[in-house]
Amino acid sequence: MQLTTKHLLGIKELSPSDISTILSTAEQFKEVLQRPIKKVPSLRDVTIVNLFYENSTRTRISFELAEKRLSADTINFTASGSSVSKGETLLDTVNNILSMKVDMVVMRHSASGAPHFLAKHLPDTSIINAGDGINEHPTQALLDAFSIIEKTGSLAGKKILLIGDIMHSRVALSNIYLLKKMGAEVMLSGPPTLIPVHIKKALDVQVEYNLKKALKWCDVANVLRIQLERQNQVLFSSLREYNLSYGVSKKILSEIDREIVIMHPGPINRGVEIDSDVADSNQSIILQQVENGVAVRMAVLYLLSGRQS
Amino acid sequence: MQTLLTAQQLQLTLNRLVHQLLEGEEDLRDIVFIGIQPRGVPVGNRMMELAAQLHPDKNIQYGILDITFYRDDIREELHIPKTTTLPFSIEGKKVILIDDVLYTGRTIRAALDALQDFGRPNKVELCVLVNRRFNRELPIQPDYCGISIDTVSSQKVKVLLDSQEVVLY
């Protein structure tokens, strides 16, 4: 059984059965990561290039670890210090790398649709999207789903709340696609300036601008990062004010009669979207998300590496 | 379709194998049994039930191993992995691998590779229900064997779990 796709461009392009296959395969890789020797020889003959045109800590380390634990050969490429600064185009850069016999490309790019562009021009190479602009971040949504299932048992029927900058968040969009496909209910909360007006209708989600009401509704709250680099767009007045209205604090959680699961894709702005005592509490699964990221990425690489039978 | 072992014969064969495996084993602390996914597991399960009847007071260590990630044909066909559960250390122990049918030997080759990632056993032995003598592609032979049969590669051997028979077709 294979995935219905050769690339992982976004959750939008995956079928529910693809998602289930990836998640159940990830479960087996999680077991591999508990072994004394956390490495399997599956991708011994595969070379993968990690093309990072945008900064990243977690995703890059996670992909690199996943590749190494599958015994793949890896090359890391960062835009700074490369010929990109001499004006080489994306397609030229990738074609040059591929002519040195590389089998798969993991790419993060600040332009939405960059991996789709590559996939169109390079049909024989598997392209894995590690985040493109404000479009999608599929492996993050997959690891979030894996972590929710691990913590609560299932996705179907679960009430998941996404809080924060929905408009600029590729994590949010991938999460919405995935959760809807797997039968979960999705609610968005955040300042009206950060939630696209038509998203309710377009993606069949609920919107609740009052954080306390939203938290009361949900089983799991995924707190998104406020992108400090977008501060100059004046979408909310100050970080302090954002924290007062939409920051997840111990106080607001204590006003809810049950314990909800708290998630965050990182990097955390402590004291802005989430307070330290919540991020470090027992109901937060933030570090489990990071741990599961390696297993989920191993599953994606493994399932996309199989050549056509 | 030809029946190689009827339900009754299968029961006798499994009984004999379990007796052979446990023969001369005073202390079961240093011996572990591992069923190989997918079809070695039901065979292993049945053998462990019988072993538990022979040694009701002893703790028998039994795990299951999936060899998908160690296959040598991963580029030809993609397989979805199954569960591995080895809730004990194999370091310095005698490991007995259990599978339903030994044919090309490639599964066992992969299982030996997989075992290395869990530690260094003192000894590894192989127990199979059916040994298809021809068409071996690697120098691997069973230490314990239910029946040996001569087949050609177009034939298939299957352990039918519902009717508890072993058939050739």
Side-chain angles (χ1 to χ4, degrees):
Chain A
M1 197 167 74
Q2 282 184 330
L3 299 184
T4 56
T5 167
K6 186 171 176 50
H7 312 285
L8 179 65
L9 301 177
I11 302 294
K12 194 180 179 181
E13 288 86 4
L14 295 182
S15 69
S17 82
D18 286 338
I19 296 168
S20 303
T21 304
I22 293 171
L23 295 178
S24 67
T25 304
E27 225 171 282
Q28 312 314 330
F29 279 116
K30 181 141 190 189
E31 182 274 320
V32 169
L33 296 175
Q34 323 286 330
R35 295 180 188 176
I37 296 176
K38 303 165 187 57
K39 189 164 177 156
V40 291
S42 308
L43 264 60
R44 218 167 28 186
D45 54 347
V46 174
T47 307
I48 304 173
V49 59
N50 299 314
L51 281 177
F52 278 73
Y53 280 86
E54 206 187 68
N55 295 340
S56 165
T57 313
R58 246 164 312 276
T59 307
R60 208 176 64 180
I61 289 179
S62 183
F63 263 112
E64 206 179 330
L65 264 177
E67 289 152 7
K68 295 206 153 121
R69 294 202 157 147
L70 286 165
S71 306
D73 290 322
T74 63
I75 317 163
N76 289 312
F77 168 96
T78 42
S80 59
S82 73
S83 284
V84 171
S85 52
K86 298 180 190 165
E88 190 171 51
T89 67
L90 171 61
L91 193 55
D92 278 341
T93 304
V94 176
N95 263 326
N96 275 282
I97 293 170
L98 292 181
S99 67
M100 294 184 255
K101 303 276 175 281
V102 169
D103 305 291
M104 300 173 89
V105 176
V106 173
M107 185 172 75
R108 165 165 291 191
H109 203 286
S110 56
S112 305
H116 305 69
F117 165 82
L118 272 193
K120 208 169 87 188
H121 287 87
L122 307 165
D124 298 332
T125 310
S126 278
I127 313 283
I128 293 159
N129 183 0
D132 64 324
I134 57 167
N135 180 36
E136 281 221 47
H137 190 352
T139 54
Q140 178 70 42
L142 287 162
L143 75 88
D144 286 347
F146 185 91
S147 306
I148 294 171
I149 295 171
E150 188 182 61
K151 181 80 182 175
T152 70
S154 70
L155 275 182
K158 285 277 157 9
K159 295 174 171 172
I160 318 287
L161 173 66
L162 300 170
I163 308 165
D165 186 354
I166 308 296
M167 182 144 57
H168 300 107
S169 172
R170 52 193 174 209
V171 176
L173 191 57
S174 284
N175 258 283
I176 295 169
Y177 282 136
L178 191 149
L179 295 168
K180 295 299 294 182
K181 283 186 186 193
M182 301 310 279
E185 287 182 60
V186 181
M187 185 184 274
L188 310 175
S189 187
T193 45
L194 294 178
I195 299 181
V197 186
H198 299 295
I199 198 163
K200 209 167 162 177
K201 240 186 180 166
L203 298 176
D204 187 27
V205 292
Q206 303 178 55
V207 175
E208 172 56 66
Y209 298 116
N210 182 314
L211 181 65
K212 198 160 123 189
K213 278 188 192 160
L215 285 169
K216 274 192 171 153
W217 171 86
C218 72
D219 302 312
V220 177
N222 198 344
V223 187
L224 303 174
R225 180 173 72 96
I226 281 301
Q227 307 191 3
L228 298 175
E229 58 270 30
R230 298 188 206 279
Q231 260 297 286
N232 54 1
Q233 296 178 5
V234 208
L235 292 162
F236 51 91
S237 35
S238 71
L239 292 176
R240 170 111 182 98
E241 192 197 292
Y242 183 87
N243 180 250
L244 287 175
S245 324
Y246 289 102
V248 178
S249 61
K250 262 264 135 72
K251 182 172 172 291
I252 195 163
L253 289 178
S254 68
E255 291 165 20
I256 301 166
D257 47 5
R258 66 217 159 86
E259 194 171 283
I260 57 173
V261 179
I262 302 290
M263 301 170 71
H264 192 298
I268 305 174
N269 297 311
R270 288 173 183 267
V272 182
E273 69 265 9
I274 188 166
D275 287 354
S276 274
D277 49 0
V278 175
D280 303 334
S281 70
N282 283 334
Q283 66 190 106
S284 134
I285 57 165
I286 297 172
L287 289 175
Q288 283 94 310
Q289 285 174 268
V290 179
E291 185 190 343
N292 292 337
V294 179
V296 166
R297 290 179 175 113
M298 283 173 88
V300 167
L301 293 165
Y302 172 77
L303 292 169
L304 291 177
S305 74
R307 292 184 190 135
Q308 301 305 321
S309 47
Chain B
M1 198 159 75
Q2 181 195 340
T3 304
L4 298 173
L5 289 176
T6 62
Q8 199 188 8
Q9 287 167 327
L10 175 63
Q11 184 67 24
L12 284 170
T13 304
L14 288 172
N15 246 318
R16 170 171 59 81
L17 285 175
V18 172
H19 277 94
Q20 280 179 343
L21 291 179
L22 297 174
E23 192 177 19
E25 297 288 344
E26 290 297 312
D27 191 351
L28 297 183
R29 263 181 302 189
D30 291 328
I31 180 167
V32 304
F33 300 90
I34 297 177
I36 298 174
Q37 287 271 32
R39 286 184 295 272
V41 174
V43 175
N45 290 347
R46 292 231 8 227
M47 289 176 71
M48 290 308 109
E49 283 166 25
L50 297 170
Q53 286 167 17
L54 285 177
H55 293 280
D57 50 335
K58 283 185 184 147
N59 176 32
I60 297 167
Q61 300 177 89
Y62 173 57
I64 55 178
L65 178 67
D66 178 72
I67 54 101
T68 306
F69 300 135
Y70 300 85
R71 296 179 72 102
D72 56 9
D73 59 353
I74 196 167
R75 291 287 151 259
E76 287 151 38
E77 198 184 343
L78 190 71
H79 295 262
I80 301 298
K82 297 190 173 57
T83 316
T84 292
T85 319
L86 293 180
F88 42 71
S89 160
I90 62 165
E91 192 73 33
K93 291 184 185 154
K94 176 168 159 185
V95 173
I96 295 175
L97 295 173
I98 300 171
D99 207 354
D100 61 340
V101 179
L102 176 62
Y103 179 37
T104 61
R106 287 183 191 268
T107 302
I108 304 304
R109 199 277 314 153
L112 290 171
D113 271 6
L115 271 188
Q116 290 203 324
D117 287 355
F118 289 90
R120 183 182 185 275
N122 203 18
K123 188 176 189 184
V124 183
E125 290 184 338
L126 174 61
C127 170
V128 296
L129 188 54
V130 182
N131 175 19
R132 294 180 69 172
R133 269 193 298 229
F134 301 151
N135 309 98
R136 195 84 81 244
E137 291 165 8
L138 293 167
I140 286 169
Q141 304 303 335
D143 299 281
Y144 310 91
C145 156
I147 49 165
S148 273
I149 55 166
D150 301 338
T151 55
V152 292
S153 56
S154 60
Q155 291 175 304
K156 281 192 170 143
V157 176
K158 209 153 202 177
V159 181
L160 300 178
L161 291 170
D162 24 347
S163 59
Q164 306 283 359
E165 284 179 330
V166 181
V167 294
L168 174 73
Y169 58 95

